[in-house]
């Protein structure tokens, strides 16, 4: 009987571990003109819920401020000020940052490598990350969308300005991840894409016959172009016109199996 219970426990633990999702911690750092610093954290975790009661295990509870120092903060689901936002993987971050006791200009920085690393075995990763407020509506690296695209850069200056709200705060951060279906396979080892990142061209080698390959816009999943059909290998060139950023290559190797590869376009 003890052996049966032990086997049952092993099965439960294996199922729990196979379904668990790794914790993704993403810091956004702020530094003002006199070198004062502070940081807020975005956390994805399978045990987070993003609602009340707040996840005190992740530090999402109310923060006790030293009002003599520079602080950045946001509201948690209990409407208390905090420096941590923790949500499950099915959600997207849309957080409003406020601050006090700072001097312009501010420098905002983050680690773009965390965007490009798969979060789950079947995850494409972060495909949208932007900063929005009255200033970045007018001054940004992504004029068509009138936001600052965080995937393309790892820092940005936030100076004083004299239009709109005339304040950098509240500063909105939007971070979204996109996944393929669970039955799809990300970064299938039998398919190689190189160099990655690329500037204007890359090569594809596959152990399997690729019936079709498509280049997708990572933020919308829309097809940009068909790359090739019915080949084991191919060179894709003349991509200078594409803006820098994250893209997805979608491969169909038979009528039911789809693979995805992330690829980064450099300026």
């Amino acid at each position: 009987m003890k052996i049966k219970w032990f086997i049952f426990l092993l099965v439960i633990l294996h199922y729990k571990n196979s379904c668990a999702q790794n914790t993704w911690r993403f810091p956004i750092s702020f530094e003002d003109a006199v070198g004062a610093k502070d940081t807020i954290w975005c956390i994805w975790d399978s045990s987070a819920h993003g609602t009340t009661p707040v996840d005190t295990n992740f530090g999402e509870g109310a923060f006790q401020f030293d009002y003599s120092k520079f602080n950045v903060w946001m509201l948690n689901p209990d409407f208390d000020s905090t420096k941590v936002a923790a949500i499950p993987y099915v959600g997207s971050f849309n957080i409003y940052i406020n601050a006090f006791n700072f001097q312009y200009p501010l420098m905002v920085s983050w680690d773009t490598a965390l965007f490009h690393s798969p979060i789950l075995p079947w995850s494409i990763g972060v495909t949208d990350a932007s900063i929005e407020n009255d200033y970045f509506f007018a001054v940004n690296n992504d004029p068509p969308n009138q936001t600052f695209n965080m995937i393309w850069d790892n820092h940005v200056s936030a100076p004083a300005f004299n239009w709109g709200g005339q304040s950098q705060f509240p500063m909105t951060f939007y971070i979204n991840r996109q996944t393929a279906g669970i039955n799809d396979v990300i970064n299938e080892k039998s398919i190689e894409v190189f160099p990655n990142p690329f500037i204007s061209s890359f090569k594809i080698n596959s152990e399997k016959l690729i019936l079709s390959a498509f280049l997708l816009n990572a933020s919308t999943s829309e097809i940009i172009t068909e790359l090739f059909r019915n080949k084991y290998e191919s060179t894709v060139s003349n991509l200078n016109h594409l803006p820098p950023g994250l893209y997805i290559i979608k491969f169909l190797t038979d009528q039911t199996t789809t693979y995805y590869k992330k690829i980064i376009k450099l300026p």
Side-chain angles (χ1 to χ4, degrees):
M1 182 65 67
K2 289 184 178 180
I3 294 177
K4 290 183 178 180
W5 274 107
F6 179 72
I7 294 174
F8 175 76
L9 179 61
L10 288 178
V11 171
I12 292 298
L13 290 174
H14 174 74
Y15 175 80
K16 182 177 181 181
N17 290 333
S18 65
C19 295
Q21 300 171 341
N22 296 328
T23 301
W24 185 81
R25 298 178 184 272
F26 184 74
I28 304 175
S29 301
F30 296 78
E31 182 175 354
D32 80 349
V34 297
K37 299 178 181 179
D38 201 7
T39 300
I40 60 102
W41 290 83
C42 300
I43 297 176
W44 265 312
D45 191 278
S46 56
S47 63
H49 48 72
T51 60
T52 56
V54 298
D55 288 307
T56 55
N57 290 335
F58 299 115
E60 199 180 25
F63 186 83
Q64 301 302 313
F65 291 113
D66 180 347
Y67 288 94
S68 67
K69 296 182 179 180
F70 169 40
N71 280 276
V72 290
W73 57 277
M74 53 194 160
L75 291 177
N76 64 22
D78 285 338
F79 295 98
D80 289 322
S81 54
T82 184
K83 294 179 183 288
V84 178
I87 62 173
Y89 277 98
V90 295
S92 299
F93 289 100
N94 195 5
I95 55 178
Y96 302 88
I97 307 301
N98 284 284
F100 58 83
N101 259 2
F102 62 88
Q103 295 185 34
Y104 287 123
L106 294 166
M107 180 61 67
V108 188
S109 59
W110 55 92
D111 184 359
T112 56
L114 294 175
F115 292 147
H116 305 315
S117 299
I119 302 169
L120 299 174
W122 57 85
S123 172
I124 293 175
V126 172
T127 56
D128 298 283
S130 62
I131 308 176
E132 302 178 9
N133 62 12
D134 286 348
Y135 175 78
F136 290 114
F137 182 85
V139 182
N140 55 68
N141 63 351
D142 191 4
N145 293 310
Q146 296 178 306
T147 62
F148 188 89
N149 192 318
M150 299 171 69
I151 294 178
W152 298 347
D153 292 281
N154 60 15
H155 68 279
V156 65
S157 176
F161 62 101
N162 59 4
W163 63 85
Q166 301 183 28
S167 174
Q168 290 287 352
F169 299 99
M171 185 180 290
T172 303
F173 291 85
Y174 175 70
I175 302 174
N176 179 57
R177 62 185 283 272
Q178 178 181 333
T179 61
I182 293 178
N183 294 325
D184 298 332
V185 179
I186 300 301
N187 290 334
E188 167 64 19
K189 293 182 179 179
S190 65
I191 302 175
E192 295 181 330
V193 179
F194 58 94
N196 188 9
F198 74 98
I199 296 176
S200 62
S201 64
F202 56 85
K203 295 182 179 181
I204 297 172
N205 286 338
S206 174
E207 296 175 5
K208 306 174 182 180
L209 177 63
I210 297 174
L211 299 184
S212 59
F214 300 90
L215 185 66
L216 309 183
N217 184 321
S219 62
T220 63
S221 295
E222 293 181 358
I223 295 176
I224 295 176
T225 184
E226 181 179 14
L227 300 179
F228 59 87
R229 286 182 177 272
N230 299 318
K231 292 184 179 181
Y232 287 93
E233 61 182 44
S234 181
T235 298
V236 180
S237 56
N238 299 322
L239 298 177
N240 304 70
H241 65 286
L242 292 178
L246 178 65
Y247 294 87
I248 306 298
I249 305 176
K250 179 179 180 179
F251 300 96
L252 183 66
T253 57
D254 57 46
Q255 297 302 320
T256 59
T257 306
T258 304
Y259 298 112
Y260 295 87
K261 285 281 190 179
K262 296 193 306 180
I263 191 166
I264 299 170
K265 169 73 166 59
L266 297 178

